[in-house]
Amino acid sequence: LYAQGLIYKDKRLVNWDPKLLTAISDLEVQQIEVKGSLWHLRYPLEGKEFNPEDPATFIVVATTRPETMLGDTAVAVNPEDDRYKSVVGKNVVLPLVGRKIPIIADGILVDPKFGTGVVKVTPAHDHNDYATGLRNNLPMINIFTETAFVNENGGPYQGLERFAARKKVLEDLKALELLVEEKPHKLPLAKSQRSGVPVEPRLSPQWYVKTKPLAERALKAVADGRTKFVPDQWTATFNRWLENIQDWCVSRQLWWGHRIPVWYRGEEMVVSVTQPEGEGWRQDEDVLDTWF
């Protein structure tokens, strides 16, 4: 499959289990509705002297994960939202961090009716934000270790566990008059089916299988009438699934399974069941997903 160009390695956002320290598949992620919160936060506009009483000096962002703001690389509004057309293209100063980030217009990510109509964009820690980052060529800043503690990119919050970081971030925002309000909000929480802990989207180098060539053949078989569904209503479901299918992440960081047959030496990489001749080769430490 590698020789046919159907397997490749890439650094992308994956579902990461911070307890088992491995990527997991979408099928191993359970979406559970929980009672959470929606926080409204003031992000000061660049070039304005911040005044919590003057709406012209800030923009209010709605988020369910305030701790990930440490990795924000933009805030986004809907391009059709008249409330914010005047600030698109300008910058805000990211609270607690001090980094300048742009205000972008993205009609795919932002629903004007959700929250304040302004959302933070953290491409390294949210699947929708990751897609937004790719569309808008945004930097991707990872703020968590593999065990979901804040890393060196989190500044003074380094070393805090993710939920402890949330508490401290909110305390600091409140002290700076940047926290507007907290509202009860039901939201889906992604939990690992394996360990039961909340999944943390994480940028990670993994091995992938291209699914499009196979999906196209399966779609064609249905379109040509060679494959028929009974009842016919499932045809639309099948087509919708395969037309939107993503490449399959097949590497895992577990200690059981078939170890990936790839060898490295410096910049060299060889795909082989047996170790290449010569000294200094090391095998990829990941294993293949059991289903693959």
Side-chain angles (χ1 to χ4, degrees):
L1 289 171
Y2 177 80
Q4 293 173 43
L6 294 172
I7 285 186
Y8 62 95
K9 193 174 189 179
D10 195 14
K11 188 175 184 179
R12 297 183 181 180
L13 204 67
V14 296
N15 300 310
W16 184 263
D17 185 321
K19 182 177 180 181
L20 297 180
L21 306 183
T22 182
I24 58 176
S25 77
D26 290 347
L27 296 177
E28 294 169 304
V29 176
Q30 293 178 311
Q31 297 288 346
I32 302 170
E33 189 177 83
V34 297
K35 292 179 180 178
S37 295
L38 183 67
W39 288 274
H40 289 185
L41 313 174
R42 296 184 180 99
Y43 278 37
L45 288 163
E46 182 191 18
K48 304 267 188 180
E49 185 175 347
F50 174 68
N51 179 352
E53 303 300 324
D54 183 3
T57 66
F58 58 84
I59 193 168
V60 179
V61 171
T63 181
T64 59
R65 296 199 67 195
E67 69 279 10
T68 64
M69 70 182 295
L70 304 171
D72 286 359
T73 56
V75 296
V77 301
N78 189 289
E80 303 302 318
D81 195 333
D82 292 333
R83 294 174 294 174
Y84 303 113
K85 284 185 176 179
S86 64
V87 296
V88 172
K90 295 183 179 179
N91 294 326
V92 294
V93 179
L94 182 60
L96 309 179
V97 178
R99 189 171 65 246
K100 290 190 298 185
I101 59 174
I103 301 170
I104 64 171
D106 192 289
I108 298 175
L109 178 69
V110 187
D111 177 359
K113 297 175 183 175
F114 174 77
T116 61
V118 186
V119 298
K120 55 196 265 331
V121 187
T122 320
H125 294 286
D126 179 271
H127 291 285
N128 291 325
D129 290 7
Y130 176 72
T132 304
L134 292 177
R135 283 195 302 274
N136 294 276
N137 197 29
L138 297 175
M140 301 194 182
I141 301 174
N142 173 34
I143 63 160
F144 290 130
T145 66
E146 60 181 13
T147 52
F149 282 70
V150 178
N151 65 17
E152 67 280 2
N153 294 326
Y157 304 93
Q158 182 176 359
L160 291 177
E161 189 273 335
R162 55 182 165 169
F163 296 111
R166 174 182 296 183
K167 185 179 178 182
K168 184 73 172 84
V169 161
L170 288 169
E171 286 175 359
D172 292 348
L173 289 169
K174 186 175 182 180
L176 294 167
E177 296 187 274
L178 295 168
L179 176 59
V180 180
E181 62 179 331
E182 176 184 353
K183 292 182 174 181
H185 179 69
K186 286 185 179 179
L187 69 156
L189 178 67
K191 280 196 168 186
S192 169
Q193 191 181 48
R194 290 176 177 268
S195 67
V197 303
V199 168
E200 188 60 55
R202 177 177 168 81
L203 279 173
S204 176
Q206 303 285 344
W207 287 92
Y208 291 88
V209 173
K210 289 182 183 176
T211 54
K212 194 172 181 181
L214 192 59
E216 286 175 343
R217 289 168 63 186
L219 285 164
K220 193 171 188 300
V222 173
D224 293 347
R226 286 176 285 142
T227 299
K228 289 184 171 62
F229 284 92
V230 180
D232 184 62
Q233 68 194 55
W234 292 107
T235 304
T237 303
F238 176 82
N239 288 342
R240 186 168 59 249
W241 183 60
L242 285 188
E243 285 165 359
N244 294 287
I245 199 166
Q246 301 296 309
D247 286 356
W248 182 13
C249 175
V250 293
S251 46
R252 300 288 180 266
Q253 292 69 51
L254 302 167
W255 60 266
W256 62 85
H258 296 280
R259 195 164 171 185
I260 290 178
V262 174
W263 305 81
Y264 305 96
R265 184 172 66 180
E267 296 298 313
E268 294 179 87
M269 185 186 84
V270 174
V271 177
S272 171
V273 175
T274 56
Q275 181 174 335
E277 293 182 3
E279 299 293 325
W281 291 99
R282 62 175 182 85
Q283 189 174 355
D284 198 308
E285 295 179 353
D286 289 355
V287 299
L288 292 167
D289 169 60
T290 307
W291 293 111
F292 173 72

